[in-house]
Amino acid sequence: MPASRIAPLALYQEVAERLRQRIYSHDLAPGTWVDEQALADDYGISRTPLREALKVLASEGLVTLKPRRGCYVNEISERDLDEIFTVMALLEGQCAHLTARKATDADLERLRKIHEKLEKAAGTGDIDGYFEANQAFHQALQKITDNRWLLQVIEDLRKVIKLSRHHSLFSEGRLEQSLAEHRGILAALTERDAERAELLMRAHIDSGRAALARIAKARNKVA
């Protein structure tokens, strides 16, 4: 059986994850019509688990199921990004506030170790490494809040943000700016200054949105 094919006993969640990664990598680009039959043939499965997988992705905002027209990968607009980042700033700000109040010394040490990876990646200009460490830092911080509903909403919104064709770290000077912001957030957490940690985290998320806007503006000028 070819490597791309899925074993008959695989669950629809595995199909959803494969499609999710193809969407994030833009192998299935925004606006693309999803050829269900071709995918089913490629994965060696019936259309039933495929359709169940697409329902999962639709619930996450990654695709749209249109009656009699099929399934399409969602496109995220600048307005979508504005609105999502506004909500993300509030949610992640609350996470930082709670973390400053609830974090144990061991929790803060874990955050410091992740931050060291940020420093190392930034020092070598490793954008992919920085992105991974950045994700790990935010996830670790959010986990400390011990609020599964807050984490779930943030994760769902981040899935939609990944539909964007660009990444904020590719904006000139954004990596260095992001690192400085992380240093400030970590300092506020270490000092257990909940209000400052919240404000700095909100500003950090807003800066990420501004970087994406700069990339979009530059792209439109070229177009």
Side-chain angles (χ1 to χ4, degrees), residues 22 32 35 41 51 89 119 123 136 149:
R22 291 182 68 176
T32 299
D35 188 335
D41 292 342
R51 285 173 175 169
E119 294 278 0
W149 299 107

Side-chain angles (χ1 to χ4, degrees), residues 11-67:
L11 299 174
Y12 68 90
Q13 288 94 335
E14 182 180 347
V15 183
E17 179 56 23
R18 292 200 183 191
L19 293 175
R20 192 180 289 118
Q21 293 308 316
R22 291 182 68 176
I23 290 171
Y24 290 159
S25 67
H26 292 164
D27 180 36
L28 289 173
T32 299
W33 173 67
V34 178
D35 188 335
E36 295 182 22
Q37 189 59 59
L39 286 173
D41 292 342
D42 185 33
Y43 292 151
I45 60 176
S46 71
R47 292 178 70 168
T48 299
L50 178 62
R51 285 173 175 169
E52 290 301 312
L54 292 175
K55 289 179 183 178
V56 172
L57 299 184
S59 71
E60 295 174 357
L62 301 183
V63 302
T64 296
L65 301 173
K66 300 181 179 181

Side-chain angles (χ1 to χ4, degrees), residues 48-104:
T48 299
L50 178 62
R51 285 173 175 169
E52 290 301 312
L54 292 175
K55 289 179 183 178
V56 172
L57 299 184
S59 71
E60 295 174 357
L62 301 183
V63 302
T64 296
L65 301 173
K66 300 181 179 181
R68 297 181 297 279
R69 295 178 59 191
C71 179
Y72 292 80
V73 179
N74 280 340
E75 296 184 82
I76 188 166
S77 67
E78 290 299 306
R79 176 175 175 175
D80 290 329
L81 288 173
D82 284 341
E83 294 175 350
I84 291 171
F85 271 85
T86 295
V87 176
M88 286 291 292
L90 292 172
L91 296 177
E92 293 220 37
Q94 178 66 9
C95 283
H97 185 103
L98 291 172
T99 295
R101 292 171 50 195
K102 300 174 70 171
T104 65

Side-chain angles (χ1 to χ4, degrees), residues 53-194:
L54 292 175
K55 289 179 183 178
V56 172
L57 299 184
S59 71
E60 295 174 357
L62 301 183
V63 302
T64 296
L65 301 173
K66 300 181 179 181
R68 297 181 297 279
R69 295 178 59 191
C71 179
Y72 292 80
V73 179
N74 280 340
E75 296 184 82
I76 188 166
S77 67
E78 290 299 306
R79 176 175 175 175
D80 290 329
L81 288 173
D82 284 341
E83 294 175 350
I84 291 171
F85 271 85
T86 295
V87 176
M88 286 291 292
L90 292 172
L91 296 177
E92 293 220 37
Q94 178 66 9
C95 283
H97 185 103
L98 291 172
T99 295
R101 292 171 50 195
K102 300 174 70 171
T104 65
D105 290 342
D107 289 332
L108 292 174
E109 181 58 27
R110 280 192 290 273
L111 290 176
R112 279 191 284 269
K113 288 182 178 179
I114 297 173
H115 180 80
E116 289 174 3
K117 295 179 181 179
L118 284 171
E119 294 278 0
K120 182 177 180 181
T124 59
D126 180 4
I127 291 181
D128 289 338
Y130 188 92
F131 176 75
E132 291 179 7
N134 179 69
Q135 290 285 92
F137 184 92
H138 282 264
Q139 290 169 352
L141 185 153
Q142 291 156 16
K143 188 175 180 180
I144 294 169
T145 69
D146 194 29
N147 184 325
R148 68 188 179 94
W149 299 107
L150 187 57
L151 270 61
Q152 181 177 315
V153 175
I154 289 174
E155 180 60 26
D156 287 345
L157 289 175
R158 286 205 172 275
K159 288 176 182 177
V160 179
I161 289 174
K162 287 183 180 180
L163 289 171
S164 173
R165 295 174 183 269
H166 303 287
H167 194 287
S168 64
L169 291 175
F170 287 104
S171 177
E172 184 176 357
R174 175 57 190 154
L175 191 148
E176 294 79 8
Q177 181 187 33
S178 175
L179 181 62
E181 291 164 0
H182 269 274
R183 288 170 179 163
I185 291 168
L186 182 60
L189 294 173
T190 300
E191 296 166 12
R192 302 189 183 282
D193 188 335

